[in-house]
Amino acid sequence: MDIFEMLKEAGVEIPADKKDAFNKEFRKTYKSEGEIKKATEKIEQERDDWMQKAETAEETLKKFEGIDPAEIQKELETYKQKAADAERDYAEKIAQRDFDDALKSEMENYKFTSEAAKKAIMAEIREAGLKLKDGKILGLSDLLGKMKEKDASAFVDEQLQQLEKGKAKPFTQSLTPKPAPGTKVTPAELMKMKNENPDLDISQYM
């Protein structure tokens, strides 16, 4: 049975030329039982959510009963400052670690007269306040140049080292004169000659 038959039985008859307009308006406002139930459940759920939020807010407010708002604000500022200090300290430690790593890498390019001299130079560089950018220590070369002028004894003079190496001649001359080929020598003399001159052909003395 459609809506028009139901209305007719109730004593209300809709003219034929008005049925389409009536049907259109009826569909706009008509809700099935399932739709009404769904809408009701949604409203009830929203109501329960708001009640839970109100209860939570009430419990939270109870915790602050008897507490001075100014004291709360003071504690909040204290916690904020501690958080800021901790973040700053962490950032400084990371920056120092990165600087030390870069410095150790840069020091591989220099030779020092001792490990103590190297450590002293690195400590002085740290205290100089140089900045690290893109993995490089700005101004490090200039600072090291000044350090070499100030304390040359801490650095190995590579040019002087090369000159000294060039002056040193390996001693290869035999201490014992070689006898003429065919000369008979004792086994002890033969061994001594071979030790002093490893390339010697000893067969010519045997």
Side-chain angles (χ1 to χ4, degrees), residues 127-171:
E127 294 175 358
L130 300 182
K131 302 299 181 182
L132 182 69
K133 184 178 181 181
D134 299 329
K136 297 293 182 181
I137 300 175
L138 303 179
L140 179 61
S141 296
D142 294 339
L143 180 59
L144 282 169
K146 294 177 181 178
M147 288 180 173
K148 284 184 177 181
E149 294 178 1
K150 178 182 176 182
D151 186 10
S153 63
F155 298 84
V156 173
D157 189 331
E158 295 188 38
Q159 291 183 345
L160 180 61
Q161 194 177 53
Q162 291 297 326
L163 288 173
E164 290 177 349
K165 284 184 179 180
K167 291 178 182 178
K169 301 292 184 181
F171 186 78

Side-chain angles (χ1 to χ4, degrees), residues 7 13 44 54 56 67 95 97 106 145 155 157 180-181 201:
L7 290 172
E13 188 169 355
E44 290 176 347
T56 301
I67 299 178
R97 183 203 63 186
E106 290 287 350
F155 298 84
D157 189 331
D201 182 8

